[in-house]
Structure formats: C-alpha cells, structure tokens
Amino acid sequence: MKLHNILGAAALAAAAAAIASPVQAKDLKIGLVLSVSGPYSDYGKQIQNGIEAYMAQHGDTVAGRKVTLIVKDDTGIAPAVAKRQAQELLIKDKVDILAGFDLTPNAFSVAPLATEAKVPMIVMNAATSSITEKSPYIARVSMTLPQSSWAIAQWAVKNGIHSAYILVADYGPGHDAQQQFKKTFTELGGKVLGEVRTPVSTPDYAPFLQRVKDTRPDALFFFVPPGSSMVALAKNFREMGLDKLGIREMGPGDMTDENSLPALGDNALGMITAFHYSAAHDSPENKAFVAAYAKSHPKDRPNFMAVGGYDGMQLIYKVLEKTGGDASGDAFMAAARGMAWESPRGPVQIDPETRDIIQNEYIRKLERVDGELQNIEFATFEAVKDPGKQP
C-alpha cells in the first residue's frame, strides 16, 4: 500500500473515532440543583434517594454513556444561589442535563439559563403551574398544584361539601392551589366563604383558623409547605376543636406526605387529600420501587419527592435510549414530548404540548393500618392534565 493511502486510512479512522467517541464514551453529566442543607434539606434528600433507587435497579450506564451525578446545594428558597450553582454546573462542570429543583422560586431563576445554554432541565418537584412555560427546555415529572386542587374540588362537590374556606401559604404553589380550587369548586356550585394567605413559615395558625371557626364552612381547603408548617396547622386545627364542629380538612396530598406522617401523628387522622402518589399504592411497579428504596435507604420512607427523582431518571434513561445517547437540548425535548411509561404512581405521560406531567389523581384518606399511618386511596381521576394550562 502506498504511503499516502496509509496516511489517508489512518486519518479517516481517527476522524471516525473522533466523531463516534463523544456519544459512545463521554460520561453523561447530570447537574442536580437541590436543597441539601437548610429547612428544606429533606426535599433534596428524598429526590436524591429516588434517583439512587432508580440507578440501583437499572445501572449507571444508558445508551453506552456512564451517568455521573454532580450535586449542588441551593440551601432552600434561594433563587440567586440556585442560579449561581446552575451557572457553575453549565460553565465549569459542562453538564449535559440540569435536574432536581425542589422549590419553585429556584426553578424560575434557572429557567433562562436552560434556554440560553439549550440544555434540558428536568423538574423533579417544584409544582407551580407556569414553570414549564419559562423555558422550552423544561420537562416536569412531578406534579402541578392545580392537578390535585382540581381533583379534590371535584370530589368535594360530588360528596356533599357545599361550602369551603381556603387557607394557603403566600407563595406560588399556594396561589396556584387557591385559584384552581376556587375556580373548580365554584363552577360546580360550591361556595367559598372566606380566603386567607398565611406567611410561608409560621409556627402558629390559630389566628387564621379562628376565622374559619367563626365562618363554619363544611370544609377547610388548605395548602402550606409540607413539614413543620403542616404539623403546626394540623395541631392547631384539633386544639381549636374545628374537627368537633364537623369541618372537614382537605387539600393537596403533599400535606400528608409519608415523610411527615410520624410528626403529624393522630392530629391528621381522617384528612382527605388528592394526590398522584401514595406509598400504599397497590401496583407491581410501586412494590418494586418501595423495595428498591428500602434496600438502599432502610431508615427512610419513600414519598412523592422520591418518586419525582425516580421518574426523573426514568425519563432521562428512556429519552437517551430513544436518541441513541444524544442529550442535546432539542433532540432531548423532541424525544421527551409524549413519552409514556408505567411509574410507581401509575401510568404517566409527558404532555406533548406543555411538557408537563399527565397522571392519575387519587382521593385518599389518612388512616392507621396495622399501626402505621397510611394514605389509603379510594377514588381515582384518570390521566389528569395540568388544569392551570387548560382554557
């Protein structure tokens, strides 16, 4: 073989290797922006636990690419910190995908960066309806507050609840919950007797609940941040005897999430909630998820945030299998639109129009089963799209 032919063949082989190697060998870097410290650190922990449970089941390689996770702490409701951490992930770490986002203000602050960098951004918890409208590169696998607020309003009117008082925390998710519940409830003939927005973090709801007590509605619809705020609200509700007046407690299901149940205790017994996930959900997929979670994190109970992390990784894996490992923003989002799978929560799909999650909403009652508090599902609204984006 002549020398120039040998050099030509070598050059072609090198060029082919250069083209092939980024997809075949380059690690898939996922940058997670989560609350690792601060008052919402449990949110970040649950999402990470769900991610780890998925990878324990399905391995750390997808479409020939080894998955590397880089976690950045946003410290809680801190949009400027979240934005700075995302910038570092994009510029210094050169991540292929941004993910996590347990809190709405932080997701809002990072959305423009995803647009500018054309990098997929997978929201695993933050629930304000408009988040997916902030960037064409956002897909959400968790929920929106209007989904569960719509479902509980539907159930309430169909089950003899004619009047309600609305109490919500004064931030994006609370506003969404308030607006959707009021819209659906009144359209179906229900009457809202009063509304109040409370500080996001308050140790005492008694002054607000006194207004509810004076008004005597059939039910209180509420949304406050899960955790210490919900514990305080449930305690005050019982201490003030609102339950003895026959006022029903109802709201979105994150109010009685599995991680909060030990702290809520019997103060929350009988609460009616609407939600997309309960650890007690009876399906093979959920039993496998709960078992995988228990194996990797035996001291914790999986909750909806853990499922958000689990399904976030499920979406990423399924999309990359479809694209042959291509995680570029436009290819990723094209493949994600309409993607459907069987989640531990039931059947889910990424809405091809809004890039939001379509899922079942279950009506649940908090009961003690074999000595353990559980959200027991007793009714289902199937394939609920985000009502906040419906005409």
Side-chain angles (χ1 to χ4, degrees), residues 47-309:
I47 291 171
Q48 278 188 263
N49 288 358
I51 289 169
E52 290 164 8
Y54 184 84
M55 292 180 70
Q57 280 183 307
H58 299 89
D60 63 357
T61 302
V62 59
R65 301 181 69 174
K66 184 175 173 59
V67 177
T68 301
L69 304 175
I70 304 171
V71 182
K72 297 287 186 183
D73 182 12
D74 59 30
T75 72
I77 299 177
V81 176
K83 186 175 182 180
R84 187 170 67 248
Q85 298 288 39
Q87 284 172 324
E88 188 170 309
L89 286 167
L90 291 167
I91 296 166
K92 181 184 171 185
D93 298 304
K94 294 182 168 46
V95 297
D96 300 285
I97 296 169
L98 290 168
F101 306 104
D102 36 32
L103 295 159
T104 285
N106 300 348
F108 278 157
S109 72
V110 175
L113 300 180
T115 303
E116 186 181 350
K118 296 186 177 181
V119 167
M121 177 174 162
I122 310 304
V123 174
M124 296 176 169
N125 184 62
T128 298
S129 178
S130 62
I131 285 175
T132 55
E133 298 169 340
K134 301 301 181 185
S135 171
Y137 295 98
I138 292 177
R140 175 160 40 196
V141 295
S142 50
M143 60 182 176
T144 74
L145 259 303
Q147 286 177 311
S148 48
S149 302
W150 173 89
I152 198 71
Q154 291 273 347
W155 177 85
V157 173
K158 291 174 183 175
N159 287 272
I161 293 173
H162 305 296
S163 64
Y165 199 104
I166 299 174
L167 182 154
V168 298
D170 191 8
Y171 75 131
H175 302 168
D176 270 6
Q178 177 185 18
Q179 289 160 11
Q180 187 62 54
F181 177 82
K182 183 178 181 179
K183 180 177 185 290
T184 305
F185 189 65
T186 55
E187 284 177 352
L188 294 171
K191 291 184 179 179
V192 173
L193 303 184
E195 303 172 69
V196 62
R197 292 180 176 178
T198 69
V200 174
S201 296
T202 179
D204 183 16
Y205 287 91
F208 307 108
L209 290 174
Q210 185 61 49
R211 302 182 203 179
V212 181
K213 190 172 185 177
D214 294 342
T215 309
R216 300 285 183 97
D218 292 336
L220 170 67
F221 171 83
F222 55 86
F223 175 84
V224 297
S228 59
S229 296
M230 186 58 223
V231 171
L233 178 60
K235 185 169 178 282
N236 289 157
F237 189 93
R238 292 294 173 102
E239 286 175 345
M240 295 176 67
L242 274 71
D243 55 323
K244 293 182 174 62
L245 295 175
I247 299 171
R248 306 284 294 275
E249 291 175 277
M250 60 188 192
D254 32 354
M255 301 297 88
T256 58
D257 103 79
E258 279 72 15
N259 235 32
S260 301
L261 293 181
L264 282 169
D266 288 349
N267 283 330
L269 275 174
M271 278 189 188
I272 304 294
T273 56
F275 215 37
H276 60 279
Y277 180 69
S278 165
H281 181 66
D282 187 12
S283 74
E285 290 79 13
N286 189 47
K287 287 174 182 174
F289 164 67
V290 171
Y293 187 99
K295 189 174 181 181
S296 30
H297 302 94
K299 294 181 180 179
D300 297 314
R301 287 179 73 178
N303 70 355
F304 69 98
M305 295 185 197
V307 169

